[in-house]
């Protein structure tokens, strides 16, 4: 299924598909008129679910509040290995430690732009995966501007970094 479909719409489409297959299997046990009504109702529900469940076309997207949410960041350092942190959480790094940082998104179709508020070195600031070297400061805040696909509104997430000498 398309990643532009709401998860509930994906589930409903699978159920409708199973019902359609079951309808084909038992069609000889019901009258032709009832079968045509069931087939028509199933097709209409399928089309309605596709339209209302697709982020790109649904008029309900803004009503439902389907805003992009970032699940977590994966931070990989030589000293601490792999850590999973929530957005806006604090992580501690040494002043000479490089870190590989990658968001774990709800969807794979997105563009990213990173920014360090205190001037940390960013390698890959216009990609979702980033190599980060802390600045000579006590702390830094890494901001990530995310533009998800499918016409969903953009989001800004951040990681707060405490820098050890």
């Amino acid at each position: 299924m398309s990643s532009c479909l709401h998860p509930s719409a994906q589930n409903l489409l699978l159920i409708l598909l199973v019902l359609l297959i079951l309808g084909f299997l038992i069609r000889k046990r019901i009258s032709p008129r009832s079968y045509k009504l069931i087939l028509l109702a199933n097709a209409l529900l399928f089309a309605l679910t596709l339209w209302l469940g697709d982020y790109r076309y649904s008029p309900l997207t803004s009503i439902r509040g389907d805003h992009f949410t970032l699940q977590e960041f994966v931070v990989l350092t030589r000293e601490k290995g792999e850590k999973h942190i929530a957005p806006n959480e604090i992580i501690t790094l040494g002043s000479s430690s490089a870190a590989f940082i990658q968001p774990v998104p709800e969807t794979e179709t997105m563009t990213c732009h990173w920014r360090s508020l205190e001037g940390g070195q960013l390698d890959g600031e216009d990609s979702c995966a980033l190599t980060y070297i802390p600045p000579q400061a006590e702390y830094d805040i890494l901001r990530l501007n995310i533009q998800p696909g499918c016409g969903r509104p953009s989001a800004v997430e951040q990681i707060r970094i405490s820098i050890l000498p």
Side-chain angles (χ1 to χ4, degrees):
M1 299 268 172
S2 169
S3 63
C4 291
L5 285 176
H6 190 277
S8 298
Q10 288 180 0
N11 294 337
L12 186 56
L13 287 172
L14 289 174
I15 291 169
L16 290 171
L17 187 61
V18 168
L19 289 175
L20 183 66
I21 292 169
L22 286 175
F24 282 129
L25 294 175
I26 63 167
R27 73 174 180 251
K28 293 183 179 174
R29 296 184 183 163
I30 54 178
S31 70
R33 178 178 163 88
S34 296
Y35 178 70
K36 286 180 183 177
L37 284 173
I38 291 170
L39 195 60
L40 180 64
N42 197 325
L44 286 173
L45 284 173
F46 197 86
L48 187 65
T49 303
L50 266 176
W51 177 54
L52 293 176
D54 194 314
Y55 292 117
R56 295 169 294 190
Y57 308 114
S58 176
L60 301 177
T61 301
S62 59
I63 296 170
R64 277 195 308 238
D66 283 330
H67 299 290
F68 178 81
T69 54
L70 187 65
Q71 299 167 358
E72 65 184 359
F73 290 97
V74 175
V75 180
L76 181 64
T77 62
R78 183 175 296 163
E79 297 83 17
K80 297 181 180 182
E82 185 175 299
K83 288 207 163 256
H84 296 257
I85 63 167
N88 209 31
E89 195 171 309
I90 299 173
I91 188 162
T92 303
L93 294 176
S95 62
S96 60
S97 297
F100 176 77
I101 304 171
Q102 182 170 4
V104 178
E106 184 180 276
T107 178
E108 296 298 321
T109 56
M110 65 183 200
T111 57
C112 302
H113 180 74
W114 293 87
R115 197 175 89 195
S116 168
L117 296 184
E118 296 296 321
Q121 291 181 10
L122 308 176
D123 183 18
E125 65 188 56
D126 286 325
S127 67
C128 290
L130 170 80
T131 301
Y132 168 77
I133 298 173
Q136 296 300 316
E138 293 180 11
Y139 71 92
D140 195 5
I141 296 176
L142 275 180
R143 288 229 169 107
L144 174 61
N145 186 353
I146 304 166
Q147 180 60 57
C150 305
R152 296 169 82 183
S154 63
V156 177
E157 300 288 355
Q158 67 182 21
I159 301 173
R160 296 182 292 160
I161 300 171
S162 175
I163 303 169
L164 298 174

